[in-house]
Amino acid sequence: MTEQKSSNEMWGGRFASGPDAIMEEINASIGFDRKLYAQDIRGSLAHAAMLAKTGIIAADDHDKIAGGLNTILSEIESGKFAFSRKLEDIHMNIEARLAELIGPAAGRLHTARSRNDQVAVDFRLWVKDELGRMASALKALIEAFLERAEEHAATVMPGFTHLQTAQPVTFGHHCMAYVEMFGRDLSRVRDAIERLDESPLGAAALAGTGFGIDRHMTAKALGFREPTRNSIDSVSDRDYALEFLSLAAISATHLSRLAEEIVIWSTPQFNFIRLSDAFSTGSSIMPQKKNPDAAELVRAKTGRITGSLVGLLTVMKGLPLAYSKDMQEDKEAVFDAVETLELALAAMTGMVRDLTVNTASMKKAAGSGYSTATDLADWLVRELGMPFREAHHVTGRAVALAEARKCDLGKLSLEELQSIHPGITEAVFGFLTVDKSVRSRQSYGGTAPQEVRRQIRFWKKRIAKA
């Protein structure tokens, strides 16, 4: 007869004590939600003050609660607080310690409040704080780009489409493209703060409370614009977390595109820029190598942030109203995305300030690939009154002739150009250099140095007010 294994052996390993150990492991969130300790104490202090002012608890109990909470804050910040997994989360850990410190008065703190609205206000406060830090990091990156753009407003480089040389632009203009991208990211951060700036505290479990609380008072005390207007939505909403991950994923994508360009531009084949040793590493076997590891890691970390967004969208997609325990899975994704994006922004800001621009290589490359072909077509339209489609065709024939001669467009003779179209005159050669090309692009938002400098002035004023 086969010996039947005990239930504990069947669970095995770290869960040898049976179902209780598994439940504790899956249920506990203190391992990560301890990050919310400051916000949890802020929320409790505001709630206790409101309960006292409305007469729901006695002033003496409020004084004890406030004193105990401030003691706990000091204990946590000094590393003396003992967190317990058996108490599940940050809320219960703080509540249990408060009871140890002040006795029965601690039990009055949870009047007219549930862990559902407690965690909602804690998490909103935390995300709001982090969005403020993200705004500062984006401003620093934009300012770094503005410095480089001003320095290189007239530095010629090739502009690309399909990673093929298209038209000459300036490096300053290219930098300003990223100013626009990260400026929109900053705008999304501001918008996100505006939308989440409502306090769910006082919604209780889901239906509100029968106590005569003052939700406007607690909202103001916590720095929110106003309280939320629906108690069910208040405890089941995680839009603010999803919106943070969405804007983080967009910003990380912008960082990744920039990182890709840094990787490409720092190759010997391009030789447009050089990163210092501060943002590069060597090879373990090839002594000549200088690898742009910081940029590559920024590019890779985008996947983590995008994955966090998809993960939380998947958690929330099938949840009925109001609160479900699934929502405990909202925090780790956001915590990780915040740390990842913060590091990526800091690294990229450092790289933008650090990189050395090889202006000679950029200018040489700017003239490759018949990059002034569009300038020839524009000249034919402007000077000869030719329809653009016909000018496009004539220019194509000129490019084909230059390819056959293995020379640039500007190196074709006047006779060769007139063999394609007799109306072409000597004046055309003044428009076939990369410098003339970029100076001619004076349309609003164009690459002409004077226009680049105008956009720099605009953004300097705008970022100073942000």
Side-chain angles (χ1 to χ4, degrees):
M1 184 174 180
T2 305
E3 182 181 348
Q4 188 167 355
K5 293 184 177 180
S6 71
S7 61
N8 284 3
E9 288 179 42
M10 290 178 68
W11 293 113
R14 63 192 294 197
F15 303 122
S17 61
D20 288 350
I22 295 176
M23 187 58 197
E24 180 181 315
E25 183 72 18
I26 198 170
N27 194 46
S29 59
I30 189 61
F32 53 86
D33 70 14
R34 67 177 63 186
K35 279 182 178 284
L36 302 175
Y37 75 88
Q39 290 78 19
D40 194 72
I41 290 173
R42 280 171 62 192
S44 290
L45 286 168
H47 186 65
M50 179 274 296
L51 292 176
K53 185 172 182 181
T54 54
I56 297 171
I57 66 172
D60 182 57
D61 285 336
H62 166 252
D63 291 343
K64 291 177 182 176
I65 289 168
L69 288 170
N70 283 313
T71 297
I72 293 168
L73 180 62
S74 297
E75 289 177 347
I76 295 174
E77 291 182 339
S78 65
K80 296 177 182 177
F81 190 91
F83 292 99
S84 170
R85 286 180 60 78
K86 292 186 182 298
L87 293 171
E88 296 183 19
D89 56 32
I90 187 62
H91 325 298
M92 297 305 292
N93 269 262
I94 289 174
E95 188 173 322
R97 178 58 178 151
L98 186 63
E100 290 176 357
L101 289 171
I102 68 171
R108 300 191 186 282
L109 175 59
H110 212 54
T111 306
R113 186 176 73 169
S114 162
R115 274 197 291 178
N116 292 357
D117 63 332
Q118 189 177 0
V119 69
V121 77
D122 291 0
F123 200 23
R124 275 187 186 242
L125 283 169
W126 193 90
V127 172
K128 185 180 178 183
D129 290 344
E130 292 303 324
L131 283 169
R133 278 188 274 275
M134 183 178 173
S136 297
L138 283 166
K139 280 184 66 176
L141 178 56
I142 289 168
E143 286 166 352
F145 265 118
L146 287 172
E147 289 175 14
R148 302 321 298 266
E150 194 163 35
E151 181 184 354
H152 292 284
T155 299
V156 177
M157 68 172 288
F160 299 96
T161 61
H162 309 277
L163 204 56
Q164 304 291 317
T165 301
Q167 292 178 279
V169 297
T170 67
F171 184 57
H173 191 52
H174 200 100
C175 288
M176 291 304 293
Y178 282 107
V179 168
E180 294 288 336
M181 286 188 201
F182 293 117
R184 291 192 296 273
D185 291 340
L186 180 58
S187 175
R188 276 184 279 271
V189 169
R190 301 295 190 204
D191 291 347
I193 292 172
E194 178 71 16
R195 268 185 290 278
L196 72 75
D197 206 15
E198 299 175 349
S199 172
L201 188 58
L206 80 159
T209 178
F211 291 94
I213 62 173
D214 185 345
R215 294 190 62 210
H216 287 84
M217 176 182 170
T218 51
K220 183 177 180 181
L222 293 171
F224 287 109
R225 183 181 64 250
E226 59 188 336
T228 52
R229 288 171 296 280
N230 183 281
S231 58
I232 294 175
D233 178 61
S234 298
V235 298
S236 59
D237 164 43
R238 291 298 183 272
D239 291 7
Y240 57 91
L242 289 168
E243 185 165 13
F244 167 76
L245 289 173
S246 297
L247 65 87
I250 294 170
S251 188
T253 299
H254 290 157
L255 289 170
S256 186
R257 295 184 73 181
L258 173 57
E260 172 74 359
E261 293 202 316
I262 288 175
V263 170
I264 292 171
W265 291 350
S266 62
T267 61
Q269 291 78 9
F270 270 75
N271 193 28
F272 283 3
I273 63 167
R274 182 177 178 82
L275 292 172
S276 75
D277 291 347
F279 293 96
S280 307
T281 65
S283 166
S284 63
I285 192 172
M286 295 168 284
Q288 83 282 8
K289 292 288 294 300
K290 189 170 186 178
N291 302 322
D293 283 9
E296 291 172 358
L297 287 166
V298 167
R299 186 175 59 186
K301 287 180 184 297
T302 301
R304 285 177 64 168
I305 295 172
T306 303
S308 293
L309 170 61
V310 174
L312 186 54
L313 283 168
T314 306
V315 167
M316 297 300 297
K317 73 175 182 63
L319 298 187
L321 301 179
Y323 182 83
S324 296
K325 192 69 169 181
D326 310 51
M327 292 163 70
Q328 183 169 290
E329 293 296 309
D330 59 355
K331 295 169 197 66
E332 287 181 285
V334 174
F335 292 161
D336 184 74
V338 163
E339 292 177 3
T340 302
L341 185 60
E342 186 179 79
L343 179 58
L345 283 167
M348 193 54 74
T349 301
M351 279 184 275
V352 171
R353 294 189 187 282
D354 173 83
L355 61 84
T356 301
V357 179
N358 189 338
T359 57
S361 289
M362 280 189 174
K363 185 166 186 177
K364 182 178 179 182
S368 67
Y370 309 104
S371 63
T372 58
T374 305
D375 296 275
L376 173 57
D378 288 347
W379 185 89
L380 292 169
V381 170
R382 189 170 53 250
E383 300 300 324
L384 303 187
M386 194 179 291
F388 184 80
R389 285 302 173 198
E390 183 182 346
H392 187 282
H393 178 70
V394 170
T395 301
R397 290 175 60 196
V399 168
L401 180 59
E403 284 180 329
R405 299 282 192 273
K406 293 183 170 52
C407 67
D408 294 332
L409 276 175
K411 297 297 183 182
L412 290 174
S413 67
L414 179 61
E415 292 75 16
E416 287 172 321
L417 288 172
Q418 287 178 337
S419 70
I420 298 168
H421 193 282
I424 296 175
T425 68
E426 188 81 31
V428 75
F429 293 105
F431 295 87
L432 297 184
T433 66
V434 292
D435 289 317
K436 288 274 190 179
S437 176
V438 295
R439 285 200 294 271
S440 72
R441 307 291 172 181
Q442 297 178 21
S443 57
Y444 186 84
T447 194
Q450 67 188 63
E451 181 59 24
V452 172
R453 293 187 181 100
R454 182 154 74 110
Q455 295 303 330
I456 292 169
R457 290 192 296 272
F458 167 83
W459 270 102
K460 280 187 171 182
K461 291 178 183 177
R462 183 169 180 176
I463 207 68
K465 298 175 183 177

